[in-house]
Coordinates of all heavy atoms in Angstrom, one line a residue:
M12 N 86.8 134.4 94.0 CA 88.2 134.5 94.0 C 88.7 135.4 92.9 O 88.3 135.2 91.7 CB 88.8 133.1 93.9 CG 90.3 133.2 93.9 SD 91.1 131.5 94.1 CE 91.7 131.2 92.5
N13 N 89.4 136.4 93.2 CA 90.0 137.3 92.2 C 91.4 136.8 91.9 O 92.3 136.7 92.8 CB 90.0 138.7 92.7 CG 88.7 139.4 92.6 OD1 87.9 139.0 91.8 ND2 88.4 140.3 93.5
S14 N 91.7 136.6 90.7 CA 93.1 136.2 90.3 C 93.6 137.1 89.3 O 92.9 137.6 88.4 CB 93.1 134.7 89.8 OG 92.3 134.6 88.7
L15 N 94.9 137.5 89.4 CA 95.5 138.5 88.5 C 96.8 137.9 87.9 O 97.6 137.3 88.6 CB 95.9 139.7 89.4 CG 96.7 140.8 88.7 CD1 95.8 141.5 87.6 CD2 97.1 141.8 89.7
L16 N 97.0 138.1 86.6 CA 98.2 137.7 86.0 C 99.0 139.0 85.7 O 98.5 139.9 85.0 CB 97.9 137.0 84.7 CG 99.1 136.6 83.8 CD1 100.1 135.7 84.5 CD2 98.7 136.0 82.5
I17 N 100.2 139.1 86.2 CA 101.1 140.2 86.0 C 102.1 139.8 85.0 O 102.8 138.8 85.1 CB 101.8 140.7 87.3 CG1 100.7 141.1 88.3 CG2 102.7 141.9 87.0 CD1 101.3 141.4 89.7
I18 N 102.2 140.6 83.9 CA 103.2 140.3 82.9 C 104.2 141.5 82.8 O 103.7 142.7 82.6 CB 102.5 140.1 81.5 CG1 101.6 138.9 81.6 CG2 103.6 140.0 80.4 CD1 100.8 138.6 80.4
G19 N 105.4 141.2 82.9 CA 106.5 142.3 82.9 C 107.0 142.5 84.3 O 106.4 142.1 85.3
G20 N 108.1 143.2 84.4 CA 108.7 143.5 85.7 C 109.6 142.3 86.1 O 109.0 141.2 86.4
D21 N 110.9 142.5 86.3 CA 111.7 141.4 86.7 C 111.5 141.1 88.1 O 111.4 139.9 88.5 CB 113.2 141.8 86.5 CG 113.6 142.0 85.1 OD1 113.0 141.4 84.2 OD2 114.5 142.8 84.8
S22 N 111.3 142.1 89.0 CA 111.1 141.9 90.4 C 109.9 142.8 90.8 O 109.9 143.9 90.4 CB 112.3 142.3 91.2 OG 112.0 142.3 92.6
L23 N 109.0 142.2 91.5 CA 107.8 143.0 91.9 C 107.9 143.6 93.2 O 107.1 144.5 93.5 CB 106.6 142.1 91.8 CG 106.2 141.5 90.4 CD1 105.0 140.6 90.5 CD2 106.0 142.6 89.4
G24 N 108.8 143.2 94.1 CA 109.0 143.8 95.4 C 107.7 143.6 96.2 O 107.2 142.5 96.4
V25 N 107.1 144.7 96.7 CA 105.9 144.6 97.6 C 104.6 144.7 96.8 O 103.6 144.7 97.5 CB 106.0 145.7 98.7 CG1 107.2 145.5 99.6 CG2 106.0 147.1 98.1
I26 N 104.7 144.8 95.6 CA 103.4 144.9 94.7 C 102.5 143.8 95.0 O 101.3 144.0 95.2 CB 103.8 145.1 93.3 CG1 104.5 146.4 93.0 CG2 102.5 145.0 92.4 CD1 105.1 146.6 91.7
P27 N 102.9 142.5 95.0 CA 101.9 141.4 95.3 C 101.3 141.6 96.7 O 100.1 141.3 96.8 CB 102.8 140.1 95.2 CG 103.9 140.5 94.3 CD 104.2 141.9 94.6
D28 N 102.0 142.0 97.7 CA 101.4 142.2 99.0 C 100.4 143.3 99.0 O 99.3 143.1 99.6 CB 102.5 142.5 100.0 CG 103.5 141.4 100.2 OD1 103.2 140.2 100.0 OD2 104.7 141.7 100.6
K29 N 100.6 144.4 98.3 CA 99.7 145.4 98.2 C 98.4 145.0 97.4 O 97.3 145.3 97.8 CB 100.3 146.7 97.6 CG 101.3 147.4 98.5 CD 101.8 148.6 97.9 CE 102.7 149.3 98.8 NZ 103.1 150.7 98.4
L30 N 98.6 144.2 96.4 CA 97.5 143.7 95.6 C 96.7 142.8 96.4 O 95.4 142.7 96.3 CB 98.0 143.1 94.3 CG 98.5 144.1 93.2 CD1 99.2 143.3 92.1 CD2 97.4 145.0 92.7
S31 N 97.3 141.9 97.2 CA 96.6 141.0 98.1 C 95.7 141.7 99.1 O 94.6 141.3 99.4 CB 97.6 140.1 98.8 OG 98.3 139.3 98.0
S32 N 96.2 142.9 99.6 CA 95.4 143.6 100.6 C 94.2 144.3 99.9 O 93.3 144.7 100.6 CB 96.3 144.7 101.2 OG 96.7 145.7 100.3
Y33 N 94.2 144.4 98.6 CA 93.1 144.9 97.8 C 92.1 143.8 97.3 O 91.2 144.1 96.6 CB 93.6 145.8 96.6 CG 94.0 147.1 97.1 CD1 95.3 147.4 97.3 CD2 93.1 148.2 97.2 CE1 95.7 148.7 97.7 CE2 93.5 149.4 97.6 CZ 94.8 149.7 97.8 OH 95.2 150.9 98.2
G34 N 92.4 142.6 97.7 CA 91.4 141.5 97.4 C 91.8 140.5 96.4 O 91.0 139.7 96.0
F35 N 93.0 140.6 95.9 CA 93.4 139.6 94.9 C 93.9 138.4 95.7 O 94.9 138.5 96.4 CB 94.5 140.1 93.9 CG 94.0 141.1 92.9 CD1 94.1 142.4 93.1 CD2 93.3 140.6 91.8 CE1 93.6 143.3 92.2 CE2 92.7 141.5 90.9 CZ 92.9 142.9 91.1
D36 N 93.3 137.2 95.5 CA 93.6 136.0 96.2 C 94.8 135.3 95.6 O 95.6 134.7 96.3 CB 92.4 135.0 96.3 CG 91.2 135.7 96.9 OD1 91.4 136.4 97.9 OD2 90.1 135.3 96.5
E37 N 94.9 135.3 94.3 CA 96.0 134.7 93.6 C 96.6 135.6 92.6 O 95.9 136.3 91.8 CB 95.4 133.5 92.8 CG 96.5 132.7 92.1 CD 96.0 131.5 91.4 OE1 94.8 131.3 91.3 OE2 96.8 130.7 90.9
I38 N 97.9 135.7 92.7 CA 98.7 136.6 91.8 C 99.8 135.8 91.1 O 100.7 135.3 91.8 CB 99.3 137.8 92.6 CG1 98.2 138.6 93.2 CG2 100.1 138.7 91.7 CD1 98.7 139.6 94.2
L39 N 99.7 135.7 89.8 CA 100.7 135.0 89.0 C 101.6 136.0 88.3 O 101.1 137.1 87.9 CB 100.1 134.1 88.0 CG 99.1 133.0 88.5 CD1 98.5 132.3 87.4 CD2 99.9 132.1 89.4
H40 N 102.9 135.7 88.2 CA 103.8 136.7 87.6 C 104.6 136.0 86.5 O 105.2 134.9 86.7 CB 104.7 137.3 88.7 CG 105.7 138.2 88.1 ND1 107.1 138.0 88.2 CD2 105.6 139.3 87.4 CE1 107.8 138.9 87.6 NE2 106.9 139.8 87.1
T41 N 104.8 136.7 85.4 CA 105.7 136.3 84.3 C 106.5 137.5 84.0 O 105.9 138.6 83.7 CB 104.9 135.8 83.1 OG1 104.1 134.7 83.4 CG2 105.8 135.4 82.0
N42 N 107.8 137.4 84.0 CA 108.6 138.6 83.7 C 108.5 139.2 82.3 O 108.7 140.4 82.1 CB 110.1 138.4 84.1 CG 110.8 137.4 83.2 OD1 110.4 137.1 82.2 ND2 112.0 137.1 83.7
G43 N 108.2 138.4 81.3 CA 107.9 138.9 80.0 C 109.0 139.4 79.2 O 108.8 140.1 78.2
R44 N 110.2 139.0 79.5 CA 111.4 139.6 78.8 C 111.8 138.6 77.6 O 112.3 139.1 76.6 CB 112.6 139.8 79.7 CG 112.3 140.9 80.7 CD 113.3 141.9 80.4 NE 113.2 142.9 81.5 CZ 114.0 144.0 81.5 NH1 114.9 144.2 80.6 NH2 113.9 144.9 82.4
K45 N 111.6 137.4 77.8 CA 112.1 136.4 76.8 C 111.1 136.2 75.6 O 109.9 136.2 75.8 CB 112.4 135.1 77.5 CG 113.5 135.2 78.5 CD 113.8 133.8 79.1 CE 114.9 134.0 80.1 NZ 115.2 132.8 80.8
V46 N 111.7 136.0 74.4 CA 110.9 135.9 73.2 C 110.0 134.7 73.3 O 108.8 134.7 72.8 CB 111.8 135.9 72.0 CG1 111.0 135.6 70.7 CG2 112.6 137.1 71.9
K47 N 110.4 133.6 73.9 CA 109.7 132.3 73.9 C 108.4 132.5 74.8 O 107.5 131.6 74.7 CB 110.5 131.2 74.4 CG 111.6 130.8 73.4 CD 112.2 129.5 73.9 CE 113.2 129.0 72.8 NZ 113.8 127.8 73.1
M48 N 108.3 133.5 75.6 CA 107.1 133.6 76.4 C 105.9 134.0 75.6 O 104.8 134.0 76.2 CB 107.4 134.7 77.5 CG 108.4 134.3 78.5 SD 108.6 135.4 79.8 CE 109.7 134.6 80.9
I49 N 106.1 134.3 74.4 CA 104.9 134.5 73.5 C 104.0 133.3 73.4 O 102.8 133.4 73.2 CB 105.4 135.0 72.1 CG1 106.0 136.4 72.2 CG2 104.3 135.0 71.1 CD1 106.5 136.9 70.9
N50 N 104.6 132.1 73.6 CA 103.9 130.8 73.5 C 103.1 130.5 74.7 O 102.3 129.6 74.8 CB 104.9 129.7 73.2 CG 105.6 129.9 71.9 OD1 105.0 130.4 70.9 ND2 106.8 129.4 71.8
Q51 N 103.3 131.3 75.8 CA 102.6 131.1 77.1 C 101.1 131.3 76.9 O 100.7 132.3 76.3 CB 103.2 132.0 78.1 CG 102.6 131.8 79.5 CD 103.2 132.7 80.5 OE1 104.2 133.4 80.3 NE2 102.6 132.7 81.7
K52 N 100.4 130.4 77.5 CA 98.9 130.6 77.5 C 98.4 131.3 78.7 O 99.1 131.3 79.8 CB 98.2 129.2 77.4 CG 98.7 128.3 76.3 CD 98.1 128.8 75.0 CE 98.5 127.8 73.9 NZ 98.6 128.3 72.6
I53 N 97.3 131.9 78.6 CA 96.7 132.6 79.8 C 95.9 131.5 80.6 O 95.1 130.8 80.0 CB 95.7 133.6 79.4 CG1 96.4 134.7 78.6 CG2 95.0 134.2 80.6 CD1 95.5 135.8 78.0
P54 N 96.2 131.3 81.9 CA 95.5 130.3 82.6 C 94.0 130.5 82.6 O 93.6 131.7 82.6 CB 96.1 130.4 84.0 CG 97.5 131.0 83.8 CD 97.3 131.9 82.6
E55 N 93.2 129.5 82.7 CA 91.8 129.5 82.6 C 91.1 130.3 83.8 O 90.1 130.9 83.6 CB 91.2 128.1 82.6 CG 91.5 127.4 81.3 CD 90.9 128.0 80.1 OE1 89.7 128.5 80.1 OE2 91.6 128.0 79.0
H56 N 91.7 130.3 84.9 CA 91.1 130.9 86.1 C 91.5 132.3 86.3 O 91.1 132.9 87.3 CB 91.5 130.0 87.3 CG 93.0 130.1 87.6 ND1 93.8 129.3 86.9 CD2 93.7 130.8 88.5 CE1 95.1 129.5 87.3 NE2 95.0 130.4 88.3
I57 N 92.1 133.0 85.4 CA 92.6 134.4 85.6 C 91.4 135.3 85.3 O 90.7 135.2 84.4 CB 93.7 134.7 84.6 CG1 95.0 133.9 85.0 CG2 94.0 136.2 84.5 CD1 95.5 134.3 86.3
N58 N 91.2 136.3 86.3 CA 90.1 137.2 86.1 C 90.5 138.5 85.4 O 89.7 139.1 84.8 CB 89.6 137.6 87.5 CG 88.9 136.5 88.2 OD1 89.6 135.7 88.9 ND2 87.6 136.3 88.0
C59 N 91.8 138.9 85.6 CA 92.3 140.1 84.9 C 93.8 140.0 84.7 O 94.5 139.3 85.4 CB 91.8 141.4 85.5 SG 92.4 141.6 87.2
I60 N 94.3 140.9 83.8 CA 95.7 140.9 83.5 C 96.2 142.3 83.6 O 95.6 143.2 83.2 CB 95.9 140.4 82.0 CG1 95.4 138.9 81.8 CG2 97.4 140.5 81.6 CD1 95.4 138.5 80.4
L61 N 97.4 142.4 84.2 CA 98.1 143.6 84.3 C 99.5 143.5 83.6 O 100.3 142.6 83.9 CB 98.4 144.0 85.8 CG 99.3 145.2 86.1 CD1 98.6 146.4 85.6 CD2 99.6 145.3 87.6
V62 N 99.7 144.4 82.6 CA 100.9 144.4 81.9 C 101.7 145.6 82.4 O 101.3 146.8 82.3 CB 100.7 144.6 80.4 CG1 102.0 144.6 79.6 CG2 99.8 143.4 79.9
L63 N 102.9 145.3 82.8 CA 103.9 146.4 83.3 C 104.6 146.8 82.0 O 105.6 146.1 81.6 CB 104.8 145.9 84.4 CG 104.0 145.4 85.7 CD1 105.0 144.9 86.7 CD2 103.2 146.6 86.2
T64 N 104.3 148.0 81.5 CA 104.8 148.4 80.2 C 106.2 148.7 80.1 O 106.8 148.6 79.0 CB 104.0 149.6 79.7 OG1 104.1 150.7 80.6 CG2 102.5 149.2 79.5
D65 N 106.9 149.1 81.2 CA 108.3 149.5 81.1 C 109.2 148.3 81.2 O 110.4 148.5 81.1 CB 108.6 150.6 82.1 CG 108.1 150.4 83.5 OD1 107.3 149.4 83.7 OD2 108.3 151.2 84.3
Y66 N 108.7 147.1 81.4 CA 109.6 145.9 81.5 C 109.0 144.7 80.8 O 108.8 143.6 81.4 CB 109.8 145.5 83.0 CG 110.6 146.5 83.8 CD1 109.9 147.4 84.6 CD2 112.0 146.6 83.7 CE1 110.6 148.4 85.3 CE2 112.7 147.5 84.4 CZ 112.0 148.4 85.2 OH 112.7 149.4 85.9
V67 N 108.6 144.8 79.5 CA 108.0 143.7 78.9 C 108.4 143.7 77.4 O 108.6 144.8 76.8 CB 106.4 143.8 79.0 CG1 105.8 144.9 78.2 CG2 105.7 142.5 78.6
N68 N 108.4 142.5 76.8 CA 108.7 142.3 75.4 C 107.4 142.8 74.7 O 106.3 142.4 75.0 CB 108.9 140.8 75.1 CG 109.0 140.5 73.7 OD1 108.4 141.0 72.8 ND2 109.9 139.6 73.4
H69 N 107.5 143.8 73.8 CA 106.4 144.4 73.2 C 105.6 143.5 72.3 O 104.3 143.6 72.2 CB 106.8 145.6 72.4 CG 107.4 146.7 73.2 ND1 106.6 147.5 74.0 CD2 108.6 147.1 73.5 CE1 107.3 148.3 74.7 NE2 108.6 148.1 74.4
N70 N 106.2 142.5 71.7 CA 105.5 141.5 70.9 C 104.6 140.6 71.9 O 103.5 140.3 71.5 CB 106.4 140.6 70.1 CG 107.1 141.3 69.0 OD1 106.6 142.3 68.5 ND2 108.3 140.9 68.6
L71 N 105.1 140.3 73.0 CA 104.4 139.6 74.0 C 103.1 140.4 74.5 O 102.0 139.8 74.6 CB 105.2 139.2 75.2 CG 104.5 138.5 76.4 CD1 103.9 137.2 76.0 CD2 105.5 138.3 77.6
S72 N 103.3 141.6 74.7 CA 102.2 142.5 75.1 C 101.1 142.5 74.0 O 99.9 142.4 74.4 CB 102.7 143.9 75.2 OG 101.7 144.8 75.6
T73 N 101.5 142.5 72.8 CA 100.5 142.5 71.7 C 99.7 141.1 71.6 O 98.5 141.1 71.5 CB 101.2 142.7 70.3 OG1 101.8 144.0 70.4 CG2 100.2 142.7 69.2
V74 N 100.5 140.1 71.8 CA 99.9 138.7 71.8 C 98.9 138.5 73.0 O 97.8 138.0 72.8 CB 101.0 137.6 71.7 CG1 100.4 136.3 72.0 CG2 101.7 137.7 70.4
I75 N 99.4 138.9 74.1 CA 98.5 138.8 75.3 C 97.3 139.6 75.2 O 96.2 139.2 75.6 CB 99.3 139.2 76.6 CG1 100.4 138.2 76.9 CG2 98.4 139.4 77.8 CD1 99.9 136.8 77.3
K76 N 97.4 140.8 74.6 CA 96.2 141.7 74.4 C 95.2 141.0 73.5 O 94.0 141.0 73.8 CB 96.6 143.0 73.7 CG 95.5 143.9 73.5 CD 96.0 145.2 72.8 CE 94.9 146.2 72.5 NZ 95.4 147.4 71.9
K77 N 95.6 140.3 72.4 CA 94.7 139.6 71.6 C 94.1 138.4 72.3 O 92.9 138.2 72.1 CB 95.4 139.1 70.3 CG 95.8 140.2 69.4 CD 96.6 139.7 68.2 CE 97.0 140.9 67.3 NZ 97.8 140.4 66.2
R78 N 94.9 137.6 73.0 CA 94.4 136.5 73.7 C 93.4 136.9 74.8 O 92.4 136.2 75.0 CB 95.5 135.7 74.3 CG 96.3 134.9 73.3 CD 97.4 134.1 73.9 NE 98.3 133.6 72.9 CZ 99.5 133.1 73.1 NH1 100.0 133.2 74.3 NH2 100.2 132.6 72.0
A79 N 93.7 138.0 75.5 CA 92.7 138.4 76.5 C 91.4 138.9 75.9 O 90.4 138.6 76.5 CB 93.4 139.6 77.3
K80 N 91.5 139.5 74.8 CA 90.3 140.0 74.1 C 89.4 138.8 73.7 O 88.2 138.8 73.8 CB 90.7 140.9 72.9 CG 89.5 141.5 72.2 CD 89.9 142.4 71.1 CE 88.7 143.0 70.4 NZ 89.0 143.9 69.3
N81 N 90.1 137.8 73.1 CA 89.3 136.6 72.7 C 88.6 135.9 73.9 O 87.6 135.3 73.7 CB 90.3 135.6 72.0 CG 90.7 136.1 70.7 OD1 90.1 136.9 70.1 ND2 91.8 135.5 70.2
K82 N 89.2 135.9 75.1 CA 88.7 135.3 76.3 C 87.8 136.3 77.1 O 87.4 135.9 78.2 CB 89.8 134.7 77.1 CG 90.5 133.6 76.5 CD 91.5 133.0 77.5 CE 92.0 131.6 77.0 NZ 92.7 130.9 78.1
S83 N 87.7 137.5 76.6 CA 87.0 138.6 77.4 C 87.5 138.8 78.8 O 86.8 139.0 79.7 CB 85.5 138.2 77.4 OG 84.9 138.1 76.2
I84 N 88.8 138.8 78.9 CA 89.5 139.1 80.1 C 90.0 140.5 80.1 O 90.6 140.9 79.2 CB 90.7 138.1 80.3 CG1 90.3 136.7 80.4 CG2 91.5 138.5 81.6 CD1 91.4 135.7 80.4
P85 N 89.6 141.3 81.1 CA 90.1 142.7 81.1 C 91.6 142.8 81.3 O 92.2 142.0 82.0 CB 89.4 143.3 82.4 CG 88.8 142.2 83.1 CD 88.8 141.0 82.3
I86 N 92.2 143.7 80.6 CA 93.6 143.9 80.6 C 93.9 145.3 80.9 O 93.3 146.2 80.4 CB 94.3 143.4 79.3 CG1 95.8 143.4 79.3 CG2 93.8 144.2 78.1 CD1 96.5 142.7 78.2
F87 N 94.9 145.5 81.8 CA 95.3 146.9 82.2 C 96.8 147.1 82.0 O 97.5 146.1 82.1 CB 95.0 147.0 83.7 CG 93.5 146.8 84.1 CD1 93.1 145.5 84.5 CD2 92.6 147.8 83.9 CE1 91.8 145.3 84.8 CE2 91.2 147.5 84.2 CZ 90.8 146.3 84.7
Y88 N 97.1 148.3 81.8 CA 98.5 148.7 81.5 C 99.0 149.7 82.5 O 98.2 150.7 82.8 CB 98.7 149.2 80.1 CG 98.3 148.2 79.0 CD1 97.0 148.2 78.5 CD2 99.2 147.3 78.5 CE1 96.6 147.3 77.6 CE2 98.8 146.4 77.5 CZ 97.5 146.4 77.1 OH 97.2 145.5 76.1
A89 N 100.2 149.5 83.0 CA 100.7 150.4 84.0 C 102.3 150.3 84.0 O 102.8 149.4 83.5 CB 100.2 150.1 85.4
K90 N 102.9 151.4 84.5 CA 104.3 151.3 84.8 C 104.5 150.5 86.1 O 103.5 150.2 86.8 CB 104.9 152.7 84.9 CG 104.9 153.4 83.6 CD 105.6 154.7 83.7 CE 105.6 155.4 82.3 NZ 106.2 156.7 82.4
R91 N 105.7 150.2 86.4 CA 106.0 149.4 87.6 C 105.8 150.1 88.9 O 105.9 149.5 90.0 CB 107.4 148.8 87.5 CG 107.6 147.6 88.5 CD 109.1 147.2 88.4 NE 109.4 146.4 89.6 CZ 109.7 146.9 90.8 NH1 109.9 148.2 91.0 NH2 110.0 146.1 91.8
S92 N 105.5 151.3 89.0 CA 105.3 152.1 90.2 C 103.9 151.7 90.8 O 103.0 151.5 90.1 CB 105.4 153.6 90.0 OG 104.4 154.0 89.2
W93 N 103.8 151.7 92.1 CA 102.6 151.4 92.8 C 101.5 152.4 92.4 O 100.3 152.1 92.2 CB 102.7 151.3 94.3 CG 101.4 151.1 94.9 CD1 100.7 152.0 95.7 CD2 100.5 150.0 94.7 NE1 99.5 151.5 96.1 CE2 99.3 150.2 95.5 CE3 100.5 148.8 94.0 CZ2 98.2 149.4 95.5 CZ3 99.5 147.9 94.0 CH2 98.3 148.2 94.8
S94 N 101.9 153.7 92.3 CA 100.9 154.7 92.0 C 100.3 154.5 90.6 O 99.1 154.7 90.4 CB 101.5 156.1 92.1 OG 102.5 156.3 91.2
S95 N 101.1 154.1 89.7 CA 100.6 153.8 88.3 C 99.7 152.6 88.3 O 98.7 152.5 87.6 CB 101.8 153.6 87.4 OG 101.4 153.4 86.1
I96 N 100.1 151.5 89.0 CA 99.3 150.3 89.1 C 98.0 150.6 89.8 O 96.9 150.2 89.3 CB 100.1 149.2 89.9 CG1 101.3 148.8 89.0 CG2 99.2 148.0 90.2 CD1 102.3 147.9 89.8
H97 N 98.0 151.3 90.8 CA 96.8 151.7 91.6 C 95.8 152.4 90.7 O 94.6 152.2 90.6 CB 97.1 152.5 92.8 CG 95.9 152.7 93.7 ND1 95.1 153.8 93.5 CD2 95.3 152.0 94.7 CE1 94.1 153.8 94.4 NE2 94.2 152.7 95.1
Q98 N 96.3 153.4 89.9 CA 95.5 154.2 89.0 C 94.9 153.3 87.9 O 93.8 153.5 87.5 CB 96.3 155.3 88.4 CG 95.5 156.3 87.6 CD 96.4 157.5 87.1 OE1 97.6 157.4 87.2 NE2 95.7 158.5 86.7
A99 N 95.7 152.4 87.4 CA 95.2 151.5 86.3 C 94.1 150.6 86.7 O 93.2 150.3 86.0 CB 96.4 150.8 85.7
L100 N 94.3 150.1 87.9 CA 93.3 149.1 88.5 C 92.2 149.8 89.3 O 91.5 149.1 90.0 CB 94.1 148.1 89.3 CG 95.0 147.2 88.6 CD1 95.8 146.3 89.6 CD2 94.3 146.3 87.5
E101 N 92.1 151.1 89.2 CA 91.2 151.8 90.1 C 89.7 151.3 90.1 O 89.1 151.2 91.1 CB 91.2 153.3 89.7 CG 90.6 154.2 90.8 CD 90.9 155.6 90.5 OE1 91.7 155.9 89.6 OE2 90.4 156.5 91.2
G102 N 89.2 150.9 88.9 CA 87.9 150.4 88.8 C 87.7 149.0 89.4 O 86.7 148.5 89.7
V103 N 88.9 148.3 89.5 CA 88.8 146.9 89.9 C 89.0 146.7 91.4 O 88.4 146.0 92.1 CB 89.9 146.0 89.2 CG1 89.9 144.6 89.6 CG2 89.7 146.1 87.7
I104 N 90.0 147.5 92.0 CA 90.3 147.4 93.4 C 89.6 148.4 94.2 O 89.0 149.4 93.7 CB 91.8 147.5 93.7 CG1 92.4 148.8 93.1 CG2 92.5 146.3 93.1 CD1 93.9 149.0 93.4

C-alpha cells in the first residue's frame, strides 16, 4: 500500500484523484497554513511526503523535513500545479 501525506495547498481539486490513478491508495492532506500545525506528527504508515511549496508555512516545511529525515521517509517538493507534482514524483509514480 502506498500512502502519501500532502502538506500545503488549501484545496487540492483533482490532485488526489490523479495521484490515486498512479497507485497511491491513501492520501492524507494538511493545509499547512496554521502555526500550530508544527506540532503535528507524521503518521506511522506514510510512505512519502509531498510539500506544496507555494501554500505552506515555511517553519512547518522545515520541521517536516527534519522529521521525515529522522524516519527515512522520502520527501518531495512541488508547486500546486499537476505538472510540477508529476515532475517531483516522477521516480515514485
Side-chain angles (χ1 to χ4, degrees):
M12 177 168 108
N13 286 328
S14 57
L15 173 71
L16 174 63
I17 300 174
I18 299 174
D21 295 331
S22 171
L23 296 179
V25 297
I26 292 171
D28 295 334
K29 289 186 176 188
L30 289 170
S31 293
S32 70
Y33 280 95
F35 287 101
D36 300 326
E37 183 178 7
I38 299 168
L39 301 176
H40 175 242
T41 301
N42 67 12
R44 291 245 188 179
K45 297 182 180 178
V46 176
K47 288 189 176 186
M48 290 185 178
I49 290 176
N50 298 329
Q51 181 180 353
K52 305 286 186 211
I53 298 173
E55 292 295 322
H56 62 282
I57 292 297
N58 295 91
C59 59
I60 298 171
L61 173 64
V62 177
L63 300 178
T64 57
D65 43 357
Y66 295 99
V67 71
N68 176 321
H69 295 286
N70 292 333
L71 174 62
S72 178
T73 303
V74 169
I75 289 296
K76 180 180 178 180
K77 289 178 184 176
R78 289 181 185 162
K80 185 176 180 179
N81 288 340
K82 291 186 170 192
S83 299
I84 298 173
I86 188 166
F87 303 94
Y88 299 91
K90 292 185 178 180
R91 195 185 163 275
S92 68
W93 174 247
S94 61
S95 179
I96 293 170
H97 185 272
Q98 186 176 16
L100 295 175
E101 196 168 355
V103 178
I104 56 176

